[in-house]
Amino acid sequence: MQDHVNKENWVAMFREVGLSDEAMKKWHHLFETRHPEGHEGFLKWLGIPSDEINKIRANSR
Amino acid sequence: MSRSTLLYYDRIGLLCASERTSAGYRVYTQNEFNRLERICIFRNAGLSLENVRELLSSGAAPSVKILENRLQDLEEQILFLRGQQHAIIAMLKKMTNGSFKPIVDKKMWVKMMEAAGMDESSMAKWHAEFERRAPKAHKEFLMSLGIPKDEARKIQEWSKENR
């Protein structure tokens, strides 16, 4: 059991419930286009460094 | 780094300049400079001066303990802040007759998950997985979606049963 979830944990949980890479890509795209601030906040919450966040967001547009 | 901070560190014996110029100015050696660098790193992580002193003088095991304690403090503070955030959101909701919304609320979140191909049963599985791995983070996450405390608790309980 852990207190925080990081990117790897989050991806693992999504895979566990059966989301494909394609679905996760789509999800990022939706998140970025519908709620850009929310997307940024969420990625920060996962402890992802800011330069990687910028990359993920740019790739999600 | 201000002059007064350096003087203060000198006064409390945390960082003393070993040399002085003839005019009385402190001269710091490379060693002291390195020590100061470590002090700054610890201070930036919010560690107390007392902790910094211990970290600089003790071995790996006590240092791990100090850092773990600080991490625990931070986690408690984050939860405390989440609680305050929650109270403010509740006040704003009341004052604006329910029109105030967090950046991403529960509805938006569920919509995105559905659009990505998650149905109700996979969302239930996801909650169960989240609860099993990291209950604290699960709670924090639910609260960030503006879900009221009682409802968040219910979701967590039901996630536990769903394992």
Side-chain angles (χ1 to χ4, degrees), chain B residues 99-113:
Chain B
S99 66
F100 179 82
K101 297 273 186 309
I103 298 173
V104 176
D105 65 12
K106 184 185 161 190
K107 231 180 173 172
M108 299 172 188
W109 179 260
V110 170
K111 269 203 172 154
M112 283 196 292
M113 300 292 253

Side-chain angles (χ1 to χ4, degrees), chain A residues 9-28:
Chain A
N9 306 141
W10 193 272
V11 172
M13 285 197 286
F14 265 10
R15 273 197 219 294
E16 190 89 19
V17 299
L19 278 196
S20 63
D21 285 356
E22 203 51 46
M24 284 189 239
K25 238 176 148 180
K26 191 174 168 192
W27 177 74
H28 271 297

Side-chain angles (χ1 to χ4, degrees), chain B residues 120-163:
Chain B
E120 212 163 300
S121 83
S122 48
M123 274 188 243
K125 208 171 160 193
W126 169 70
H127 275 296
E129 200 48 37
F130 205 164
E131 183 65 23
R132 183 181 70 81
R133 286 171 189 247
K136 255 192 195 170
H138 192 198
K139 180 182 180 188
E140 206 181 291
F141 181 79
L142 293 171
M143 287 179 73
S144 79
L145 294 180
I147 296 174
K149 240 187 197 160
D150 292 345
E151 194 188 334
R153 199 177 303 127
K154 261 185 216 153
I155 293 174
Q156 284 191 284
E157 274 163 19
W158 150 99
S159 305
K160 267 181 223 155
E161 290 160 15
N162 253 323
R163 268 182 212 173

